Amino acid sequence: MLHEKIKAFMNERGIKQSFLKEKLGMTASTCNAMLNGNRGISAEEYFKICDALKVPLDYFKDERSE
């Protein structure tokens, strides 16, 4: 799932949720819910996440869906 890939990417690189919440302009609880799969990720949020993490938009794409 998308949130798991983003969270794993951040964990592997030592990127804190506080960094992402600042970049997205959301509260800590909202960011935490998003990264734990308790809420969805909108397209706009996904674009901002990729920009903040400096990855291309297709970086977290699920290869199995091809």
Side-chain angles (χ1 to χ4, degrees):
M1 303 206 63
L2 181 60
H3 69 277
E4 292 170 341
K5 290 180 179 186
I6 294 169
K7 193 172 180 179
F9 177 90
M10 292 172 60
N11 287 337
E12 290 166 5
R13 288 159 181 80
I15 300 170
K16 304 283 186 193
Q17 284 188 24
S18 58
F19 168 82
L20 195 60
K21 82 169 183 76
E22 293 290 327
K23 291 290 187 178
L24 298 178
M26 60 177 50
T27 65
S29 61
T30 301
C31 185
N32 186 284
M34 180 182 67
L35 291 176
N36 287 310
N38 297 322
R39 73 178 285 281
I41 299 173
S42 72
E44 183 179 352
E45 289 169 339
Y46 181 71
F47 295 149
K48 288 180 180 180
I49 289 167
C50 289
D51 184 53
L53 299 178
K54 299 188 182 347
V55 297
L57 293 175
D58 63 351
Y59 187 86
F60 299 108
K61 182 179 177 187
D62 186 359
E63 295 85 24
R64 293 174 290 170
S65 66
E66 292 181 348

Short mmCIF file of all heavy atoms in Angstrom, two decimals:
data_model
loop_
_atom_site.label_atom_id
_atom_site.label_comp_id
_atom_site.label_asym_id
_atom_site.label_seq_id
_atom_site.Cartn_x
_atom_site.Cartn_y
_atom_site.Cartn_z
N MET A 1 0.83 -1.18 0.00
CA MET A 1 0.00 0.00 0.00
C MET A 1 0.88 1.25 0.00
O MET A 1 2.00 1.23 0.48
CB MET A 1 -0.93 -0.02 1.20
CG MET A 1 -1.81 -1.27 1.24
SD MET A 1 -3.38 -1.12 2.12
CE MET A 1 -4.26 0.09 1.20
N LEU A 2 0.32 2.30 -0.53
CA LEU A 2 1.08 3.54 -0.72
C LEU A 2 1.65 4.06 0.59
O LEU A 2 2.84 4.41 0.66
CB LEU A 2 0.18 4.58 -1.38
CG LEU A 2 0.81 5.93 -1.68
CD1 LEU A 2 1.99 5.77 -2.63
CD2 LEU A 2 -0.22 6.87 -2.27
N HIS A 3 0.83 4.13 1.63
CA HIS A 3 1.33 4.69 2.89
C HIS A 3 2.49 3.87 3.45
O HIS A 3 3.42 4.43 4.03
CB HIS A 3 0.19 4.81 3.92
CG HIS A 3 -0.32 3.51 4.42
ND1 HIS A 3 -1.26 2.77 3.74
CD2 HIS A 3 -0.02 2.81 5.54
CE1 HIS A 3 -1.53 1.67 4.42
NE2 HIS A 3 -0.78 1.66 5.52
N GLU A 4 2.46 2.55 3.25
CA GLU A 4 3.54 1.69 3.74
C GLU A 4 4.84 1.96 2.99
O GLU A 4 5.92 1.97 3.59
CB GLU A 4 3.15 0.22 3.60
CG GLU A 4 2.03 -0.19 4.52
CD GLU A 4 1.47 -1.57 4.21
OE1 GLU A 4 1.69 -2.09 3.10
OE2 GLU A 4 0.81 -2.13 5.11
N LYS A 5 4.75 2.18 1.69
CA LYS A 5 5.95 2.47 0.89
C LYS A 5 6.56 3.81 1.29
O LYS A 5 7.78 3.92 1.39
CB LYS A 5 5.60 2.48 -0.60
CG LYS A 5 5.27 1.10 -1.13
CD LYS A 5 4.95 1.19 -2.60
CE LYS A 5 4.65 -0.20 -3.15
NZ LYS A 5 4.47 -0.17 -4.60
N ILE A 6 5.72 4.80 1.50
CA ILE A 6 6.21 6.12 1.90
C ILE A 6 6.86 6.03 3.28
O ILE A 6 7.97 6.54 3.49
CB ILE A 6 5.08 7.16 1.88
CG1 ILE A 6 4.59 7.37 0.43
CG2 ILE A 6 5.53 8.47 2.51
CD1 ILE A 6 3.31 8.17 0.32
N LYS A 7 6.21 5.35 4.20
CA LYS A 7 6.74 5.22 5.56
C LYS A 7 8.06 4.45 5.55
O LYS A 7 9.02 4.84 6.24
CB LYS A 7 5.71 4.52 6.44
CG LYS A 7 6.00 4.60 7.91
CD LYS A 7 4.83 4.06 8.72
CE LYS A 7 5.12 4.14 10.19
NZ LYS A 7 3.98 3.64 10.98
N ALA A 8 8.14 3.38 4.77
CA ALA A 8 9.38 2.60 4.69
C ALA A 8 10.51 3.45 4.10
O ALA A 8 11.64 3.41 4.59
CB ALA A 8 9.17 1.35 3.84
N PHE A 9 10.21 4.22 3.06
CA PHE A 9 11.19 5.11 2.44
C PHE A 9 11.74 6.08 3.48
O PHE A 9 12.95 6.27 3.59
CB PHE A 9 10.53 5.88 1.29
CG PHE A 9 11.42 6.87 0.61
CD1 PHE A 9 12.20 6.50 -0.47
CD2 PHE A 9 11.47 8.20 1.04
CE1 PHE A 9 13.02 7.43 -1.11
CE2 PHE A 9 12.29 9.12 0.42
CZ PHE A 9 13.06 8.74 -0.67
N MET A 10 10.84 6.69 4.26
CA MET A 10 11.25 7.65 5.27
C MET A 10 12.09 6.98 6.36
O MET A 10 13.12 7.52 6.78
CB MET A 10 10.03 8.33 5.87
CG MET A 10 9.32 9.25 4.88
SD MET A 10 7.75 9.89 5.49
CE MET A 10 8.28 10.78 6.95
N ASN A 11 11.67 5.81 6.81
CA ASN A 11 12.41 5.09 7.85
C ASN A 11 13.81 4.72 7.39
O ASN A 11 14.78 4.85 8.14
CB ASN A 11 11.65 3.83 8.28
CG ASN A 11 10.43 4.14 9.12
OD1 ASN A 11 10.34 5.18 9.74
ND2 ASN A 11 9.47 3.23 9.12
N GLU A 12 13.93 4.24 6.15
CA GLU A 12 15.23 3.85 5.61
C GLU A 12 16.20 5.01 5.54
O GLU A 12 17.42 4.83 5.66
CB GLU A 12 15.06 3.26 4.21
CG GLU A 12 14.38 1.91 4.19
CD GLU A 12 13.93 1.49 2.80
OE1 GLU A 12 14.22 2.21 1.81
OE2 GLU A 12 13.26 0.45 2.70
N ARG A 13 15.67 6.21 5.36
CA ARG A 13 16.52 7.39 5.20
C ARG A 13 16.56 8.27 6.45
O ARG A 13 17.16 9.34 6.43
CB ARG A 13 16.04 8.19 3.99
CG ARG A 13 16.39 7.46 2.70
CD ARG A 13 15.53 7.91 1.54
NE ARG A 13 15.88 7.19 0.33
CZ ARG A 13 15.48 5.96 0.03
NH1 ARG A 13 14.71 5.29 0.86
NH2 ARG A 13 15.83 5.39 -1.11
N GLY A 14 15.91 7.83 7.50
CA GLY A 14 15.93 8.60 8.74
C GLY A 14 15.15 9.90 8.67
O GLY A 14 15.46 10.85 9.39
N ILE A 15 14.13 9.94 7.83
CA ILE A 15 13.30 11.15 7.68
C ILE A 15 12.18 11.07 8.70
O ILE A 15 11.44 10.09 8.75
CB ILE A 15 12.75 11.27 6.25
CG1 ILE A 15 13.90 11.36 5.25
CG2 ILE A 15 11.84 12.49 6.13
CD1 ILE A 15 13.47 11.24 3.80
N LYS A 16 12.04 12.08 9.50
CA LYS A 16 11.05 12.12 10.56
C LYS A 16 9.68 12.57 10.03
O LYS A 16 9.60 13.35 9.07
CB LYS A 16 11.47 13.09 11.67
CG LYS A 16 12.83 12.80 12.26
CD LYS A 16 12.75 11.63 13.19
CE LYS A 16 14.09 11.43 13.89
NZ LYS A 16 14.17 10.17 14.55
N GLN A 17 8.63 12.11 10.70
CA GLN A 17 7.28 12.55 10.34
C GLN A 17 7.14 14.05 10.52
O GLN A 17 6.39 14.69 9.77
CB GLN A 17 6.24 11.83 11.19
CG GLN A 17 5.99 10.41 10.77
CD GLN A 17 4.82 9.77 11.50
OE1 GLN A 17 3.92 10.47 11.98
NE2 GLN A 17 4.84 8.46 11.58
N SER A 18 7.86 14.62 11.46
CA SER A 18 7.77 16.07 11.69
C SER A 18 8.23 16.85 10.46
O SER A 18 7.67 17.91 10.15
CB SER A 18 8.58 16.48 12.92
OG SER A 18 9.94 16.10 12.78
N PHE A 19 9.22 16.31 9.74
CA PHE A 19 9.68 16.95 8.50
C PHE A 19 8.54 16.97 7.48
O PHE A 19 8.25 18.00 6.88
CB PHE A 19 10.89 16.19 7.93
CG PHE A 19 11.25 16.59 6.53
CD1 PHE A 19 12.01 17.72 6.29
CD2 PHE A 19 10.83 15.83 5.45
CE1 PHE A 19 12.34 18.10 4.98
CE2 PHE A 19 11.16 16.19 4.15
CZ PHE A 19 11.90 17.32 3.92
N LEU A 20 7.89 15.83 7.31
CA LEU A 20 6.84 15.72 6.31
C LEU A 20 5.62 16.56 6.69
O LEU A 20 5.05 17.24 5.84
CB LEU A 20 6.44 14.26 6.13
CG LEU A 20 5.60 13.96 4.88
CD1 LEU A 20 6.36 14.34 3.61
CD2 LEU A 20 5.22 12.50 4.84
N LYS A 21 5.25 16.56 7.95
CA LYS A 21 4.09 17.35 8.37
C LYS A 21 4.32 18.84 8.12
O LYS A 21 3.41 19.54 7.72
CB LYS A 21 3.70 17.07 9.82
CG LYS A 21 4.50 17.81 10.86
CD LYS A 21 3.87 17.68 12.24
CE LYS A 21 4.63 18.48 13.25
NZ LYS A 21 4.43 19.90 13.21
N GLU A 22 5.55 19.29 8.34
CA GLU A 22 5.88 20.69 8.07
C GLU A 22 5.75 21.00 6.57
O GLU A 22 5.20 22.02 6.19
CB GLU A 22 7.29 21.02 8.55
CG GLU A 22 7.47 20.98 10.04
CD GLU A 22 6.76 22.11 10.76
OE1 GLU A 22 6.65 23.21 10.19
OE2 GLU A 22 6.29 21.88 11.89
N LYS A 23 6.28 20.10 5.74
CA LYS A 23 6.24 20.30 4.29
C LYS A 23 4.81 20.28 3.75
O LYS A 23 4.50 20.97 2.79
CB LYS A 23 7.07 19.23 3.57
CG LYS A 23 8.55 19.34 3.80
CD LYS A 23 9.11 20.55 3.11
CE LYS A 23 10.62 20.59 3.18
NZ LYS A 23 11.18 21.74 2.48
N LEU A 24 3.95 19.46 4.38
CA LEU A 24 2.57 19.34 3.91
C LEU A 24 1.64 20.32 4.60
O LEU A 24 0.50 20.48 4.18
CB LEU A 24 2.06 17.92 4.14
CG LEU A 24 2.80 16.82 3.40
CD1 LEU A 24 2.23 15.46 3.75
CD2 LEU A 24 2.74 17.04 1.90
N GLY A 25 2.11 20.95 5.67
CA GLY A 25 1.28 21.91 6.39
C GLY A 25 0.11 21.24 7.10
O GLY A 25 -1.00 21.75 7.08
N MET A 26 0.37 20.09 7.71
CA MET A 26 -0.69 19.38 8.43
C MET A 26 -0.27 19.14 9.86
O MET A 26 0.91 19.28 10.20
CB MET A 26 -1.06 18.06 7.73
CG MET A 26 0.06 17.05 7.59
SD MET A 26 -0.41 15.46 6.84
CE MET A 26 -1.25 15.89 5.37
N THR A 27 -1.24 18.77 10.68
CA THR A 27 -0.93 18.50 12.08
C THR A 27 -0.20 17.16 12.19
O THR A 27 -0.25 16.33 11.28
CB THR A 27 -2.22 18.42 12.92
OG1 THR A 27 -2.99 17.30 12.49
CG2 THR A 27 -3.03 19.70 12.81
N ALA A 28 0.44 16.96 13.34
CA ALA A 28 1.15 15.71 13.59
C ALA A 28 0.18 14.53 13.56
O ALA A 28 0.49 13.47 13.01
CB ALA A 28 1.89 15.78 14.92
N SER A 29 -1.00 14.70 14.14
CA SER A 29 -1.97 13.59 14.19
C SER A 29 -2.48 13.24 12.80
O SER A 29 -2.66 12.06 12.49
CB SER A 29 -3.12 13.90 15.13
OG SER A 29 -3.83 15.04 14.71
N THR A 30 -2.68 14.23 11.95
CA THR A 30 -3.13 13.97 10.58
C THR A 30 -2.04 13.26 9.79
O THR A 30 -2.31 12.29 9.07
CB THR A 30 -3.53 15.28 9.88
OG1 THR A 30 -4.58 15.90 10.63
CG2 THR A 30 -4.00 15.04 8.46
N CYS A 31 -0.82 13.71 9.92
CA CYS A 31 0.32 13.09 9.23
C CYS A 31 0.49 11.65 9.71
O CYS A 31 0.68 10.74 8.90
CB CYS A 31 1.58 13.90 9.47
SG CYS A 31 3.02 13.31 8.54
N ASN A 32 0.38 11.44 11.01
CA ASN A 32 0.52 10.11 11.57
C ASN A 32 -0.58 9.18 11.06
O ASN A 32 -0.31 8.04 10.66
CB ASN A 32 0.48 10.18 13.10
CG ASN A 32 0.75 8.86 13.75
OD1 ASN A 32 -0.13 7.99 13.77
ND2 ASN A 32 1.93 8.70 14.28
N ALA A 33 -1.80 9.67 11.01
CA ALA A 33 -2.92 8.86 10.51
C ALA A 33 -2.71 8.50 9.04
O ALA A 33 -2.98 7.37 8.62
CB ALA A 33 -4.24 9.63 10.69
N MET A 34 -2.20 9.43 8.27
CA MET A 34 -1.95 9.20 6.85
C MET A 34 -0.87 8.13 6.66
O MET A 34 -1.04 7.20 5.88
CB MET A 34 -1.52 10.50 6.18
CG MET A 34 -1.23 10.39 4.70
SD MET A 34 -0.67 11.96 4.01
CE MET A 34 0.90 12.15 4.82
N LEU A 35 0.22 8.24 7.40
CA LEU A 35 1.34 7.30 7.24
C LEU A 35 1.05 5.93 7.84
O LEU A 35 1.74 4.97 7.51
CB LEU A 35 2.62 7.89 7.84
CG LEU A 35 3.19 9.09 7.09
CD1 LEU A 35 4.40 9.65 7.83
CD2 LEU A 35 3.56 8.72 5.66
N ASN A 36 0.04 5.85 8.70
CA ASN A 36 -0.33 4.56 9.29
C ASN A 36 -1.55 3.94 8.61
O ASN A 36 -2.05 2.92 9.07
CB ASN A 36 -0.55 4.71 10.80
CG ASN A 36 0.76 4.88 11.53
OD1 ASN A 36 1.70 4.13 11.32
ND2 ASN A 36 0.85 5.89 12.36
N GLY A 37 -2.02 4.57 7.54
CA GLY A 37 -3.12 4.02 6.78
C GLY A 37 -4.49 4.23 7.38
O GLY A 37 -5.45 3.60 6.96
N ASN A 38 -4.59 5.13 8.33
CA ASN A 38 -5.88 5.41 8.97
C ASN A 38 -6.68 6.48 8.23
O ASN A 38 -7.81 6.77 8.62
CB ASN A 38 -5.68 5.82 10.43
CG ASN A 38 -5.05 4.70 11.23
OD1 ASN A 38 -5.36 3.53 11.02
ND2 ASN A 38 -4.15 5.05 12.13
N ARG A 39 -6.10 7.07 7.22
CA ARG A 39 -6.78 8.01 6.34
C ARG A 39 -6.12 7.94 4.98
O ARG A 39 -4.97 7.52 4.86
CB ARG A 39 -6.76 9.45 6.89
CG ARG A 39 -5.40 10.13 6.79
CD ARG A 39 -5.37 11.56 7.30
NE ARG A 39 -5.96 12.56 6.46
CZ ARG A 39 -5.39 13.12 5.39
NH1 ARG A 39 -4.21 12.71 4.98
NH2 ARG A 39 -5.99 14.05 4.71
N GLY A 40 -6.83 8.34 3.97
CA GLY A 40 -6.29 8.30 2.62
C GLY A 40 -5.29 9.42 2.35
O GLY A 40 -5.12 10.33 3.16
N ILE A 41 -4.63 9.31 1.21
CA ILE A 41 -3.70 10.34 0.75
C ILE A 41 -4.29 10.92 -0.52
O ILE A 41 -4.48 10.19 -1.52
CB ILE A 41 -2.31 9.74 0.46
CG1 ILE A 41 -1.73 9.11 1.74
CG2 ILE A 41 -1.37 10.81 -0.10
CD1 ILE A 41 -0.44 8.34 1.51
N SER A 42 -4.59 12.21 -0.51
CA SER A 42 -5.16 12.85 -1.69
C SER A 42 -4.07 13.00 -2.76
O SER A 42 -2.87 12.91 -2.47
CB SER A 42 -5.74 14.22 -1.34
OG SER A 42 -4.69 15.14 -1.08
N ALA A 43 -4.50 13.24 -3.97
CA ALA A 43 -3.55 13.45 -5.07
C ALA A 43 -2.65 14.65 -4.76
O ALA A 43 -1.43 14.58 -4.95
CB ALA A 43 -4.29 13.66 -6.38
N GLU A 44 -3.23 15.72 -4.26
CA GLU A 44 -2.44 16.91 -3.93
C GLU A 44 -1.41 16.60 -2.85
O GLU A 44 -0.25 17.02 -2.94
CB GLU A 44 -3.36 18.04 -3.46
CG GLU A 44 -2.63 19.33 -3.16
CD GLU A 44 -3.54 20.46 -2.72
OE1 GLU A 44 -4.77 20.32 -2.79
OE2 GLU A 44 -2.99 21.49 -2.30
N GLU A 45 -1.81 15.84 -1.83
CA GLU A 45 -0.88 15.46 -0.78
C GLU A 45 0.23 14.58 -1.34
O GLU A 45 1.40 14.74 -0.98
CB GLU A 45 -1.61 14.71 0.34
CG GLU A 45 -2.50 15.61 1.16
CD GLU A 45 -3.43 14.86 2.09
OE1 GLU A 45 -3.69 13.66 1.87
OE2 GLU A 45 -3.90 15.49 3.06
N TYR A 46 -0.13 13.65 -2.24
CA TYR A 46 0.87 12.77 -2.84
C TYR A 46 1.90 13.59 -3.62
O TYR A 46 3.10 13.34 -3.52
CB TYR A 46 0.20 11.74 -3.75
CG TYR A 46 1.20 10.81 -4.38
CD1 TYR A 46 1.85 9.84 -3.61
CD2 TYR A 46 1.55 10.91 -5.72
CE1 TYR A 46 2.80 8.99 -4.17
CE2 TYR A 46 2.49 10.07 -6.28
CZ TYR A 46 3.11 9.11 -5.51
OH TYR A 46 4.04 8.29 -6.06
N PHE A 47 1.44 14.57 -4.39
CA PHE A 47 2.38 15.43 -5.13
C PHE A 47 3.32 16.15 -4.18
O PHE A 47 4.53 16.23 -4.42
CB PHE A 47 1.62 16.46 -5.98
CG PHE A 47 0.78 15.88 -7.07
CD1 PHE A 47 -0.38 16.51 -7.48
CD2 PHE A 47 1.13 14.69 -7.72
CE1 PHE A 47 -1.16 15.97 -8.50
CE2 PHE A 47 0.36 14.15 -8.73
CZ PHE A 47 -0.79 14.80 -9.12
N LYS A 48 2.78 16.67 -3.08
CA LYS A 48 3.60 17.38 -2.10
C LYS A 48 4.58 16.42 -1.40
O LYS A 48 5.71 16.80 -1.12
CB LYS A 48 2.71 18.06 -1.06
CG LYS A 48 1.97 19.26 -1.59
CD LYS A 48 1.12 19.89 -0.51
CE LYS A 48 0.36 21.10 -1.00
NZ LYS A 48 -0.46 21.70 0.08
N ILE A 49 4.14 15.19 -1.13
CA ILE A 49 5.02 14.20 -0.51
C ILE A 49 6.20 13.90 -1.42
O ILE A 49 7.35 13.91 -0.98
CB ILE A 49 4.24 12.91 -0.18
CG1 ILE A 49 3.27 13.16 0.98
CG2 ILE A 49 5.19 11.76 0.16
CD1 ILE A 49 2.25 12.05 1.18
N CYS A 50 5.92 13.64 -2.69
CA CYS A 50 7.00 13.35 -3.65
C CYS A 50 7.95 14.53 -3.77
O CYS A 50 9.17 14.34 -3.83
CB CYS A 50 6.41 12.98 -5.01
SG CYS A 50 5.60 11.36 -5.01
N ASP A 51 7.40 15.74 -3.77
CA ASP A 51 8.24 16.93 -3.85
C ASP A 51 9.11 17.06 -2.59
O ASP A 51 10.31 17.30 -2.69
CB ASP A 51 7.36 18.17 -4.02
CG ASP A 51 8.17 19.43 -4.21
OD1 ASP A 51 9.04 19.45 -5.11
OD2 ASP A 51 7.93 20.41 -3.47
N ALA A 52 8.52 16.86 -1.43
CA ALA A 52 9.26 16.98 -0.17
C ALA A 52 10.35 15.93 -0.05
O ALA A 52 11.44 16.21 0.44
CB ALA A 52 8.29 16.86 1.01
N LEU A 53 10.05 14.72 -0.54
CA LEU A 53 11.03 13.62 -0.46
C LEU A 53 11.97 13.58 -1.66
O LEU A 53 12.85 12.73 -1.73
CB LEU A 53 10.29 12.28 -0.31
CG LEU A 53 9.42 12.15 0.94
CD1 LEU A 53 8.71 10.81 0.95
CD2 LEU A 53 10.23 12.35 2.22
N LYS A 54 11.73 14.49 -2.59
CA LYS A 54 12.57 14.64 -3.79
C LYS A 54 12.64 13.34 -4.60
O LYS A 54 13.73 12.86 -4.96
CB LYS A 54 13.96 15.14 -3.42
CG LYS A 54 13.93 16.51 -2.77
CD LYS A 54 15.30 17.08 -2.58
CE LYS A 54 15.36 18.41 -1.90
NZ LYS A 54 14.23 19.21 -1.70
N VAL A 55 11.46 12.78 -4.87
CA VAL A 55 11.36 11.58 -5.70
C VAL A 55 10.37 11.86 -6.83
O VAL A 55 9.48 12.70 -6.69
CB VAL A 55 10.88 10.34 -4.89
CG1 VAL A 55 11.89 9.98 -3.81
CG2 VAL A 55 9.50 10.54 -4.30
N PRO A 56 10.52 11.17 -7.97
CA PRO A 56 9.56 11.35 -9.07
C PRO A 56 8.18 10.82 -8.66
O PRO A 56 8.06 9.98 -7.76
CB PRO A 56 10.14 10.54 -10.22
CG PRO A 56 11.16 9.65 -9.62
CD PRO A 56 11.58 10.24 -8.31
N LEU A 57 7.13 11.32 -9.32
CA LEU A 57 5.77 10.95 -8.97
C LEU A 57 5.50 9.45 -9.07
O LEU A 57 4.66 8.92 -8.35
CB LEU A 57 4.76 11.71 -9.84
CG LEU A 57 4.69 13.22 -9.61
CD1 LEU A 57 3.76 13.86 -10.62
CD2 LEU A 57 4.26 13.52 -8.20
N ASP A 58 6.21 8.75 -9.92
CA ASP A 58 5.96 7.32 -10.08
C ASP A 58 6.84 6.46 -9.15
O ASP A 58 6.82 5.24 -9.24
CB ASP A 58 6.13 6.88 -11.52
CG ASP A 58 7.55 7.08 -12.05
OD1 ASP A 58 8.38 7.71 -11.36
OD2 ASP A 58 7.83 6.60 -13.16
N TYR A 59 7.60 7.08 -8.25
CA TYR A 59 8.54 6.36 -7.39
C TYR A 59 7.85 5.29 -6.54
O TYR A 59 8.38 4.20 -6.37
CB TYR A 59 9.29 7.34 -6.49
CG TYR A 59 10.40 6.69 -5.70
CD1 TYR A 59 11.66 6.55 -6.26
CD2 TYR A 59 10.19 6.20 -4.42
CE1 TYR A 59 12.69 5.93 -5.56
CE2 TYR A 59 11.20 5.59 -3.71
CZ TYR A 59 12.45 5.45 -4.30
OH TYR A 59 13.45 4.83 -3.59
N PHE A 60 6.71 5.60 -5.99
CA PHE A 60 6.01 4.68 -5.09
C PHE A 60 4.97 3.83 -5.82
O PHE A 60 4.17 3.16 -5.19
CB PHE A 60 5.34 5.45 -3.95
CG PHE A 60 6.33 6.21 -3.10
CD1 PHE A 60 6.40 7.58 -3.15
CD2 PHE A 60 7.19 5.54 -2.24
CE1 PHE A 60 7.31 8.29 -2.37
CE2 PHE A 60 8.10 6.22 -1.45
CZ PHE A 60 8.16 7.61 -1.52
N LYS A 61 5.01 3.85 -7.15
CA LYS A 61 4.05 3.10 -7.94
C LYS A 61 4.17 1.60 -7.64
O LYS A 61 5.25 1.07 -7.50
CB LYS A 61 4.30 3.35 -9.43
CG LYS A 61 3.34 2.66 -10.34
CD LYS A 61 3.64 2.97 -11.78
CE LYS A 61 2.71 2.21 -12.69
NZ LYS A 61 3.07 2.35 -14.09
N ASP A 62 3.02 0.93 -7.62
CA ASP A 62 2.98 -0.51 -7.39
C ASP A 62 3.22 -1.23 -8.71
O ASP A 62 2.38 -1.20 -9.59
CB ASP A 62 1.62 -0.87 -6.80
CG ASP A 62 1.54 -2.33 -6.39
OD1 ASP A 62 2.53 -3.07 -6.58
OD2 ASP A 62 0.49 -2.73 -5.86
N GLU A 63 4.37 -1.89 -8.82
CA GLU A 63 4.72 -2.59 -10.05
C GLU A 63 3.75 -3.71 -10.39
O GLU A 63 3.58 -4.06 -11.53
CB GLU A 63 6.14 -3.17 -9.97
CG GLU A 63 7.24 -2.15 -9.85
CD GLU A 63 7.49 -1.70 -8.42
OE1 GLU A 63 7.17 -2.46 -7.48
OE2 GLU A 63 7.97 -0.57 -8.23
N ARG A 64 3.12 -4.29 -9.38
CA ARG A 64 2.19 -5.39 -9.60
C ARG A 64 0.95 -4.97 -10.38
O ARG A 64 0.28 -5.80 -10.94
CB ARG A 64 1.77 -6.01 -8.28
CG ARG A 64 2.90 -6.70 -7.56
CD ARG A 64 2.47 -7.16 -6.22
NE ARG A 64 2.28 -5.96 -5.38
CZ ARG A 64 1.73 -5.94 -4.20
NH1 ARG A 64 1.29 -7.05 -3.66
NH2 ARG A 64 1.62 -4.84 -3.50
N SER A 65 0.65 -3.69 -10.44
CA SER A 65 -0.56 -3.23 -11.13
C SER A 65 -0.34 -3.05 -12.62
O SER A 65 -1.24 -2.70 -13.34
CB SER A 65 -1.07 -1.93 -10.50
OG SER A 65 -0.14 -0.87 -10.72
N GLU A 66 0.88 -3.29 -13.10
CA GLU A 66 1.15 -3.11 -14.53
C GLU A 66 0.67 -4.30 -15.32
O GLU A 66 0.63 -5.40 -14.91
CB GLU A 66 2.65 -2.92 -14.76
CG GLU A 66 3.13 -1.61 -14.19
CD GLU A 66 4.61 -1.39 -14.44
OE1 GLU A 66 5.34 -2.31 -14.85
OE2 GLU A 66 5.04 -0.26 -14.22
#
